[in-house]
Amino acid sequence: MNTLLERLQTVEKRYEELTQILMDPSIANDIQKMTQASKEQASLEKAYNLYKEYKALLDGIEEAKELLNENDPEIKEMAKMELEELEKKQPIMEHDIQIELIPKDPNDEKNVVMEIRGAAGGDEGNIFAGDLFRMYSKYAESQGWKIEIEDAQPSEAGGYSLISFIIKGNGVYSKMKFESGSHRVQRVPKTETQGRVHTSTATVLVMPEAEEVDIDIDPKDLRIDTYRSSGAGGQHINKTDSAVRITHVPTGIVATSQDGRSQHDNRAKAMQSLRTRVYEAKLREEEEKLGNERRNKIGSGDRAEKIRTYNYPQNRVTDHRIGLTIQQLDRIMEGKLEPIIDALINEDQRLKLLGEEE
């Protein structure tokens, strides 16, 4: 517990240093420094406030123990009751503090780029990719987030063979980062005349949106092609080469955009997407080097890893990584994802706490 107090004292010291920095009139002219200091202080605020509460709790316990030595039986009885109550609160508060002190994922506050592809199952896989996009769109709406489509390749039967989009808002990656992987659906397709249940899959990829400061891309490493947009959108859509494809030659990573209002707009979107994809590849490379770090993670984040099954006949969703089964598929598909996302975040915190204790 001394280690916990030492860590809290470090947080307190840094929080108060940042208060002094932000009060310094000279910082007003340095927007970047002021923004960084404000962000850092905001990230420490909860731990700082918990430490103040924790100190008050420890002081209360000491005072109650001293009062147990009083001769007055009434004071002793009151002190005993107070001590019991405070000692019950202590382990709960210590657990909350430990959770708060888990090192934050530096990407947690970022927007995300998501890509959903119809995989096994032909038309039904594409239809399910469309269902997943609708589910995430509804969840994003409930969180007050905004969605911007980068690239969409509609399927003739419905849904998408591919849809790529950005979700923008507060802490998007912290909640969406566990969605990468293969999502499996079990249901009777509309085209099935015998009423048999089929299994199809769609894959989801979630990447933290990279900013220019995160990754440096040399323009000489890029190949930029333009082509005609495809898909529904009016008679004019195929008359101009407004769609953009950018290839990062050293890695072979490709990003495209065709849903923007102009070639300039598509170029900016494709460049943002490319930066994110190169950043994601760099993060994965660093993770591979760390090796055993992966055991303190929920799943590999690999597109191929089977993470979840959506069983329509039984109204059931199962997340295979944490063994969670919920009989509320209808609600989940309407974007009510909180029970799954909260369970994944809690398990991630548990694994990180175990990792710190080892």
Side-chain angles (χ1 to χ4, degrees):
M1 200 38 65
N2 286 340
T3 313
L4 188 66
L5 282 170
E6 283 164 17
R7 290 173 70 188
L8 286 167
Q9 282 158 5
T10 306
V11 167
E12 181 182 52
K13 187 181 173 193
R14 181 60 183 156
Y15 187 90
E16 287 168 358
E17 278 173 8
L18 289 162
T19 301
Q20 292 305 312
I21 289 168
L22 289 165
M23 284 170 69
D24 185 344
S26 65
I27 200 177
N29 300 321
D30 191 338
I31 300 297
Q32 192 177 2
K33 192 176 178 184
M34 188 166 77
T35 304
Q36 283 174 343
S38 298
K39 273 187 178 178
E40 188 184 347
Q41 191 180 55
S43 73
L44 296 174
E45 191 167 7
K46 192 172 176 186
Y48 176 74
N49 289 333
L50 276 171
Y51 182 36
K52 286 200 289 188
E53 285 179 44
Y54 186 58
K55 278 199 289 190
L57 180 93
L58 295 180
D59 289 344
I61 287 172
E62 285 308 307
E63 284 169 22
K65 282 179 178 174
E66 282 173 24
L67 289 172
L68 286 175
N69 299 320
E70 291 286 330
N71 292 325
D72 186 328
E74 199 173 322
I75 289 175
K76 280 177 84 167
E77 185 57 32
M78 282 175 67
K80 189 183 169 198
M81 286 168 67
E82 177 74 4
L83 186 62
E84 281 174 6
E85 197 175 318
L86 292 173
E87 284 180 338
K88 273 184 198 168
K89 284 182 182 175
Q90 188 176 352
I92 297 165
M93 190 171 280
E94 284 168 1
H95 178 73
D96 289 347
I97 290 167
Q98 283 175 324
I99 294 290
E100 192 54 35
L101 290 176
I102 291 170
K104 301 282 187 293
D105 183 333
N107 292 313
D108 271 355
E109 290 307 308
K110 290 185 186 291
N111 299 328
V112 302
V113 174
M114 286 184 77
E115 190 179 277
I116 306 174
R117 289 176 183 267
D123 287 345
E124 179 62 12
N126 293 340
I127 291 166
F128 183 52
D131 293 338
L132 288 177
F133 173 63
R134 179 178 176 274
M135 175 184 82
Y136 290 128
S137 299
K138 285 194 165 282
Y139 178 66
E141 190 183 332
S142 75
Q143 301 295 305
W145 300 337
K146 296 281 184 288
I147 284 185
E148 285 179 15
I149 294 174
E150 287 184 320
D151 191 12
Q153 295 171 20
S155 162
E156 281 182 24
Y160 301 93
S161 58
L162 163 76
I163 182 158
S164 174
F165 53 99
I166 300 174
I167 306 181
K168 296 185 172 184
N170 294 326
V172 182
Y173 187 70
S174 68
K175 293 188 174 179
M176 299 303 293
K177 61 183 170 184
F178 303 118
E179 294 303 302
S180 282
S182 177
H183 295 241
R184 185 171 69 164
V185 63
Q186 294 174 328
R187 65 184 175 191
V188 179
K190 292 188 179 80
T191 53
E192 170 59 57
T193 54
Q194 304 295 317
R196 288 175 300 195
V197 172
H198 287 227
T199 298
S200 309
T201 58
T203 61
V204 175
L205 184 62
V206 179
M207 299 167 279
E209 185 186 34
E211 296 162 39
E212 286 192 43
V213 292
D214 295 321
I215 191 96
D216 186 31
I217 293 178
D218 189 335
K220 294 199 288 289
D221 289 337
L222 302 178
R223 187 174 72 243
I224 301 172
D225 302 301
T226 57
Y227 59 100
R228 291 187 181 180
S229 298
S230 60
Q235 293 177 354
H236 68 282
I237 193 125
N238 290 321
K239 291 185 180 172
T240 58
D241 292 348
S242 62
V244 175
R245 181 190 300 110
I246 305 180
T247 306
H248 184 246
V249 177
T251 59
I253 290 169
V254 178
T256 60
S257 179
Q258 62 171 11
D259 273 51
R261 289 182 298 275
S262 64
Q263 188 185 113
H264 182 269
D265 194 18
N266 279 325
R267 187 174 175 138
K269 283 185 172 185
M271 191 62 216
Q272 178 58 55
S273 177
L274 185 85
R275 193 180 293 119
T276 292
R277 287 160 200 273
V278 174
Y279 180 56
E280 166 75 2
K282 183 183 158 195
L283 290 178
R284 284 192 167 277
E285 199 178 299
E286 286 170 1
E287 242 176 37
E288 291 292 348
K289 283 177 191 167
L290 290 170
N292 68 345
E293 283 295 307
R294 281 185 173 271
R295 66 199 172 92
N296 291 331
K297 235 184 122 185
I298 295 174
S300 64
D302 236 32
R303 193 201 283 275
E305 183 194 14
K306 186 180 80 178
I307 65 164
R308 200 173 293 151
T309 297
Y310 303 73
N311 184 298
Y312 275 72
Q314 295 172 21
N315 196 35
R316 186 183 73 224
V317 181
T318 300
D319 195 289
H320 304 290
R321 296 162 297 177
I322 57 173
L324 175 73
T325 294
I326 298 175
Q327 303 286 153
Q328 295 180 355
L329 172 64
D330 49 349
R331 285 174 55 78
I332 299 291
M333 295 312 290
E334 287 299 315
K336 307 286 194 303
L337 282 168
E338 290 84 354
I340 294 177
I341 285 172
D342 290 348
L344 288 162
I345 289 170
N346 290 338
E347 179 63 7
D348 181 54
Q349 289 173 343
R350 189 187 72 80
L351 289 174
K352 283 177 176 167
L353 277 177
L354 279 176
E356 288 205 337
E357 286 164 11
E358 284 172 9

